Amino acid sequence: MLLPPNFDHLVIAVPNLTESVEQCHNILGVKPIPGGAHPGLGTANALLGLEVGDEPGDQHHDIYLEILGPDPDQDPELAAARLAGITQPTAQRWAIHPDDFDGLVTSAARSWEPHVDLGEVHDMTRRTPAGTLLEWRLTRRTPLALGGIQPFLIDWQDSPHPARQAMPSVRLEQFWATSSDVDTTSRVLRSLGATIEVEAGVTETLHATLKGPGGSWTI
């Protein structure tokens, strides 16, 4: 499986967070832990660690799975833009954590071929159930670039990386994309240092296969 060394996390968007956490538990045999809410955005998440490597327990740096859904304690309209069209668990997007966040943002903005639009840089926060305040920066654009295949950039600054907290984990067996223009999509990914496998397909779509003690789940 082809993964960049700065892979940070995979976002599985869902229409109902509580139901999807139980679905994940039933299929994979592990239950995601609560992550926390995103104030003002209408969403909350649940987390699992991701194992990648030749042997169980191997880690590909700090990576994790984020299950993202509407937060029932916030206005449901707030989540509409981030979860538009989500009617079932969907591999919506993914993140990389470049060594030079600002440098890559600047170089991407100046690129001409292939054109890479990362969107704007936003400051984000959420408080974990344990009370820890996480603060980070990320790039965001709407609609998602290449159907979510183009990763967004994230900078955790001085916050502890979410993957370092105690949580159950599953194996990322496969992670790939399908695209109607494999060449252009692959060149965009290479320009960001974020190469993954890209296959020919009708639409731009991310795919992932997860494996836990209870079974496998392809999303």
Side-chain angles (χ1 to χ4, degrees):
M1 179 171 55
L2 186 61
L3 288 178
N6 55 8
F7 190 119
D8 192 87
H9 68 279
L10 170 64
V11 179
I12 304 298
V14 300
N16 183 294
L17 187 57
T18 300
E19 291 179 1
S20 292
V21 165
E22 288 304 315
Q23 181 182 15
C24 181
H25 189 192
N26 291 336
I27 296 174
L28 296 176
V30 294
K31 188 169 185 177
I33 65 169
H38 303 108
L41 295 177
T43 55
N45 63 22
L47 310 177
L48 281 174
L50 282 181
E51 297 177 354
V52 178
D54 296 330
E55 299 294 337
D58 286 353
Q59 287 295 129
H60 192 81
H61 297 287
D62 294 317
I63 64 174
Y64 66 99
L65 176 71
E66 175 184 14
I67 301 176
L68 179 74
D71 180 4
D73 294 328
Q74 297 188 61
D75 182 348
E77 293 299 319
L78 291 173
R82 301 187 77 196
L83 302 172
I86 300 299
T87 59
Q88 61 183 352
T90 301
Q92 185 195 47
R93 52 200 171 106
W94 63 296
I96 59 174
H97 53 262
D99 292 333
D100 183 2
F101 178 94
D102 293 305
L104 188 52
V105 168
T106 299
S107 64
R110 294 174 177 170
S111 67
W112 289 95
E113 181 60 33
H115 179 65
V116 179
D117 180 5
L118 293 173
E120 299 179 346
V121 176
H122 293 263
D123 294 319
M124 298 281 291
T125 66
R126 71 173 166 86
R127 192 171 294 277
T128 70
T132 302
L133 180 65
L134 302 182
E135 299 178 284
W136 68 96
R137 300 184 296 164
L138 55 71
T139 58
R140 184 195 304 154
R141 56 158 288 181
T142 303
L144 294 173
L146 299 177
I149 298 173
Q150 177 182 298
F152 63 98
L153 313 186
I154 194 162
D155 173 18
W156 289 102
Q157 304 183 103
D158 295 326
S159 291
H161 194 279
R164 296 175 188 171
Q165 63 184 303
M167 68 175 80
S169 63
V170 294
R171 177 170 292 277
L172 182 61
E173 291 275 285
Q174 291 181 286
F175 181 58
W176 76 103
T178 53
S179 171
S180 59
D181 187 343
V182 172
D183 182 62
T184 297
T185 298
S186 297
R187 284 189 289 120
V188 168
L189 293 176
R190 285 196 300 270
S191 73
L192 294 173
T195 302
I196 61 172
E197 296 174 10
V198 181
E199 301 175 354
V202 176
T203 60
E204 279 64 43
T205 309
L206 280 175
H207 307 266
T209 297
L210 308 170
K211 185 176 182 179
S216 295
W217 192 14
T218 297
I219 303 172

